[in-house]
């Protein structure tokens, strides 16, 4: 079962991923993502690892559209 990730966390990870791809990830961006992952894990009762894994999968490896046939 997929974890329902909040929009603000997804937006933070997308920003970090864009910075990583540009070779410009800052400590502030990385820290913001990690802090929000930790906070969401505590709020939701999910493990921090499960939240981070689901987040990275969603942002970095999105499912392909089903229309491409």
């Amino acid at each position: 079962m997929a974890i329902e990730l909040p929009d603000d966390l997804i937006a933070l990870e997308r920003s970090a991923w864009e910075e990583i791809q540009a070779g410009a990830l800052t400590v502030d961006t990385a820290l913001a993502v990690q802090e929000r992952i930790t906070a969401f894990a505590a709020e939701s009762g999910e493990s921090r690892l499960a939240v981070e894994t689901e987040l990275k999968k969603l942002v970095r490896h999105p499912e392909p559209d089903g229309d491409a046939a």
Side-chain angles (χ1 to χ4, degrees):
M1 183 177 150
I3 300 169
E4 291 268 344
L5 299 167
D7 292 339
D8 67 315
L9 179 53
I10 294 168
L12 279 171
E13 178 62 21
R14 283 191 176 132
S15 294
W17 183 232
E18 288 171 6
E19 288 182 19
I20 289 167
Q21 291 178 309
L25 180 65
T26 65
V27 172
D28 289 340
T29 301
L31 184 60
V33 173
Q34 293 302 312
E35 287 176 344
R36 185 62 182 114
I37 288 170
T38 301
F40 177 70
E43 294 164 11
S44 67
E46 297 285 348
S47 78
R48 194 193 164 295
L49 177 62
V51 170
E52 186 167 3
T53 301
E54 187 71 20
L55 180 63
K56 289 183 188 298
K57 179 179 163 188
L58 175 73
V59 172
R60 299 179 185 196
H61 308 285
E63 293 293 319
D65 290 337
D67 324 334

